[in-house]
Amino acid sequence: MIEGSKMQKLSHSFSGALRTFSFWIANGTVGLPLLEGIDYSCIFEEPSALERAYAIFANVIEMDDKGKVLNAKYAERRAAST
């Protein structure tokens, strides 16, 4: 760590959005209504598919200067549609 520098943490808004996204994936309700009636539980048997969903979510999500998430639902939909 560089002397005098301050480590930044993820915002509460982002960690909340990530926690909610994770809950919906684990609960089988991510991407509703887009994935309504679709059993995607196989994602847990294919690590690369789960990794891809999280990578898309993380790459699409946007935050303002204060770390407030601006598009959590859109990021969820994009991750769910892969």
Side-chain angles (χ1 to χ4, degrees), residues 2-78:
I2 299 172
E3 188 175 325
S5 68
K6 182 178 178 186
M7 299 278 293
Q8 290 188 11
K9 292 185 177 186
L10 294 174
S11 69
H12 290 292
S13 180
F14 177 79
S15 62
L18 183 61
R19 186 175 54 250
T20 301
F21 179 69
S22 298
F23 173 80
W24 286 334
I25 282 184
N27 195 34
T29 55
V30 74
L32 289 179
L34 179 67
L35 298 180
E36 182 109 25
I38 297 173
D39 178 15
Y40 63 86
S41 62
C42 63
I43 197 171
F44 299 110
E45 297 166 13
E46 187 179 340
S48 63
L50 188 56
E51 177 186 16
R52 184 173 55 244
Y54 274 91
I56 291 168
F57 180 81
N59 286 322
V60 171
I61 204 148
E62 295 177 354
M63 293 170 280
D64 66 13
D65 292 338
K66 295 182 180 180
K68 181 180 177 194
V69 172
L70 303 173
N71 65 341
K73 194 64 179 172
Y74 176 70
E76 175 200 344
R77 281 192 214 112
R78 285 286 305 275

